[in-house]
Amino acid sequence: MKKEDPRRVYDSIRAEAFSRLAPEQHLTTNLYLDELPRKKGEYLGPEFQKIVTEQACLLVFADDNPTANFGHDCRYLLYHPENGSLLKEIPARFPPYGNKPPETFKAFHEPVKAIPPSNLFHIPPILRCPIIFPDGTRYAILYSGMSNKRHLNDLEFCYRTLIDRYAFDPSHIYVCNYDCSLDTQDGLQTIWPGDNTPYRIQVNQSGNRAGFQAVLSDLRGKLQSQDVLFIHTNNHGDNFGSGSFLCEYPNWGTYTAAQFCADLATLPPFRALLVMMEQCNSGGFNAPVLAASTASATSIASAAIATQSSYASPDLNWDTFAYEWIAAQAGHDAYGGALAFNPDTNMDGVIEATEAFNYAKAVDTQPDSPNFSESSAAGGDIGLSQQYWIWWTWCWLFRPEIEKYSPPFPEAQRPEFATAVNGIAAQLQKTIVATLDRAAAEGRKELAPKIHSAFEAAFAAEKARKAS
């Protein structure tokens, strides 16, 4: 019997797979055909899904929700490799490949795809003053396991915000990404779409439990009682019957909430832990993180509840909740544009954990289900900066000069400008603080008697009653 021409078999499979889409799915489902036949007994996707081929077949991957992070509902359509007839449709939660799509894995219907933004108009955001840090050291861990380009973009936005806006020491920022490089499932990344400049993020470890544990091991010898730790997790996750987990490199490994929190609990006591998680089903980490934290104050914001997916932006360049949370901290979006509103609702100059969460939740246009947990009111007050008590006086002195010398946006995001401003702040910090401390001491000396007299007068009647 003569075999069918492979091209005709592929055409037949593509047509059959497309015909299975409901009309409303034509613009929402991406279809991919793997032209390399699968053998009997092969695993499809992560082994924990327990999906194994029963015979040789060709596979169509139907991604019914391409803007959602995995795990989310998708389908494997298995076809006879010689005549193209449908053998089986299998519901799944993850792609049917390992670290990257093979070269034989080709899209044939892709209504949802990454499109770079163009012709954007932005109003310049408000410039924030540099902050004075009187005590404690700040550390950050940025984690993404089975990264796509959008997850690395989020990490880069966060990395730049920590350094350019909050003057983090780059050596205090630990990055665990994919295979310990700028590689992703979408290929090696070189140019960040925010301002079309090369990535600046420095990757230290692979995006897996071993990489995260290596970071914690280093931190155990450094964290002090007054220090602050910020943790951001990104990429994919799920709640596959045994609780929420983070995906890890390679091949969709599972880093469960229980494992993550057991590792977190090995840290010594410190002042504050600020956590923001983007992956699907990340809400399943909230309660365990609070329970495991060794910090005096802890807060955690998650993009999705324990049973729901998190979502990418429509252009697939970002994860929406993480993007907006980071933008709230930065004071502008990744392209240098103004925010929808000022997240600093109490106008104290600090973007606190609750304020960043509330902003991201308010402007998130995707069907995420953000949730927030805190160990106490102090947990919700955690910021990325530890401010000096005379912050506003400091800002009055700095803002006119910053506005005078700041280049126009988006050029103002250039690292050399932020580096120069932070360098001036560090150079003058001791002098200005000492001067303002002397003025404050004089003010206290003058005000103390007046405050004492005011209390005396207010409570004179009660004092007289007790005396009688």
Side-chain angles (χ1 to χ4, degrees):
M1 180 177 177
K2 185 179 179 181
K3 285 187 178 181
E4 286 280 354
D5 183 336
R7 290 171 297 180
R8 289 189 177 183
V9 173
Y10 298 156
D11 288 343
S12 172
I13 290 173
R14 293 186 190 103
E16 201 283 335
F18 182 80
S19 71
R20 300 179 70 81
L21 297 179
E24 62 270 17
Q25 292 179 301
H26 289 177
L27 296 178
T28 60
T29 294
N30 288 351
L31 298 174
Y32 307 84
L33 170 63
D34 189 347
E35 297 179 352
L36 180 67
R38 301 295 182 110
K39 298 177 182 177
K40 180 181 179 180
E42 280 193 34
Y43 274 98
L44 299 180
E47 289 191 14
F48 62 77
Q49 290 190 134
K50 295 182 173 61
I51 300 175
V52 181
T53 56
E54 298 174 353
Q55 66 182 80
C57 61
L58 288 168
L59 180 145
V60 168
F61 174 51
D63 188 350
D64 294 316
N65 202 348
T67 63
N69 288 304
F70 291 102
H72 67 255
D73 292 339
C74 53
R75 292 173 290 132
Y76 303 161
L77 307 178
L78 308 185
Y79 291 88
H80 196 287
E82 294 183 1
N83 60 31
S85 61
L86 180 68
L87 299 172
K88 196 171 189 179
E89 177 176 320
I90 304 173
R93 295 285 294 174
F94 287 86
Y97 50 78
N99 297 325
K100 289 185 178 180
E103 293 183 1
T104 54
F105 192 84
K106 299 176 181 178
F108 64 89
H109 178 70
E110 197 174 23
V112 182
K113 62 188 302 183
I115 301 174
S118 61
N119 195 27
L120 299 175
F121 177 78
H122 292 291
I123 300 171
I126 298 171
L127 290 171
R128 293 183 185 153
C129 298
I131 310 299
I132 300 177
F133 310 103
D135 64 341
T137 303
R138 295 159 304 144
Y139 297 95
I141 306 174
L142 311 182
Y143 174 98
S144 183
M146 289 295 293
S147 304
N148 290 103
K149 180 181 177 181
R150 64 180 178 269
H151 305 123
L152 184 59
N153 287 343
D154 294 340
L155 263 58
E156 175 74 12
F157 190 14
C158 193
Y159 185 84
R160 294 188 183 207
T161 297
L162 294 176
I163 292 175
D164 297 348
R165 199 53 86 186
Y166 291 100
F168 266 62
D169 183 336
S171 68
H172 293 165
I173 304 175
Y174 300 86
V175 180
C176 306
N177 180 66
Y178 202 63
D179 63 351
C180 196
S181 75
L182 296 181
D183 203 1
T184 70
Q185 294 184 73
D186 305 316
L188 186 67
Q189 303 304 310
T190 57
I191 300 298
W192 187 59
D195 61 0
N196 293 314
T197 59
Y199 283 84
R200 290 163 49 196
I201 193 169
Q202 300 297 308
V203 181
N204 316 102
Q205 297 287 343
S206 296
N208 49 37
R209 187 183 187 186
F212 195 79
Q213 287 177 324
V215 171
L216 295 183
S217 177
D218 191 59
L219 279 175
R220 281 196 291 274
K222 296 178 178 179
L223 270 181
Q224 303 294 318
S225 61
Q226 288 299 105
D227 292 346
V228 175
L229 174 60
F230 167 57
I231 298 176
H232 168 49
T233 64
N234 212 298
N235 97 110
H236 302 282
D238 202 3
N239 190 335
F240 204 77
S242 57
S244 295
F245 63 81
L246 267 166
C247 287
E248 59 176 358
Y249 180 90
N251 297 323
W252 305 98
T254 59
Y255 189 8
T256 67
Q259 293 170 331
F260 181 91
C261 292
D263 295 338
L264 196 62
T266 64
L267 292 175
F270 58 104
R271 181 168 60 193
L273 173 63
L274 174 61
V275 181
M276 185 266 284
M277 292 189 159
E278 168 57 33
Q279 74 276 4
C280 292
N281 308 96
S282 48
F285 282 73
N286 282 35
V289 164
L290 293 186
S293 174
T294 58
S296 299
T298 302
S299 72
I300 174 170
S302 302
I305 61 175
T307 56
Q308 296 293 327
S309 296
S310 62
Y311 290 82
S313 59
D315 62 7
L316 301 184
N317 273 327
W318 318 95
D319 288 283
T320 308
F321 177 78
Y323 177 86
E324 300 297 357
W325 191 98
I326 298 164
Q329 295 287 357
H332 56 77
D333 66 22
Y335 305 101
L339 303 181
F341 61 87
N342 187 356
D344 185 15
T345 52
N346 63 5
M347 301 303 290
D348 67 348
V350 180
I351 304 302
E352 296 159 354
T354 50
E355 291 174 328
F357 172 80
N358 289 338
Y359 178 86
K361 182 178 181 180
V363 301
D364 190 343
T365 57
Q366 294 292 77
D368 292 311
S369 50
N371 54 118
F372 181 81
S373 302
E374 58 187 5
S375 61
S376 64
D381 292 341
I382 301 170
L384 291 174
S385 59
Q386 175 57 50
Q387 296 181 325
Y388 199 72
W389 67 277
I390 54 166
W391 186 88
W392 280 112
T393 307
W394 172 256
C395 193
W396 290 334
L397 294 169
F398 255 76
R399 187 181 295 281
E401 300 303 319
I402 291 176
E403 292 177 344
K404 186 189 305 181
Y405 291 101
S406 172
F409 277 83
E411 287 81 5
Q413 294 181 80
R414 291 182 305 189
E416 56 266 29
F417 175 70
T419 300
V421 171
N422 289 324
I424 296 167
Q427 175 188 342
L428 297 177
Q429 177 176 323
K430 291 183 178 179
T431 301
I432 294 178
V433 169
T435 302
L436 295 174
D437 273 349
R438 286 196 297 271
E442 290 297 319
R444 287 196 299 272
K445 190 182 297 182
E446 178 183 342
L447 289 172
K450 295 179 180 178
I451 293 172
H452 174 74
S453 298
F455 270 79
E456 281 283 308
F459 292 96
E462 179 65 13
K463 187 176 181 181
R465 186 187 65 79
K466 288 182 178 180
S468 63

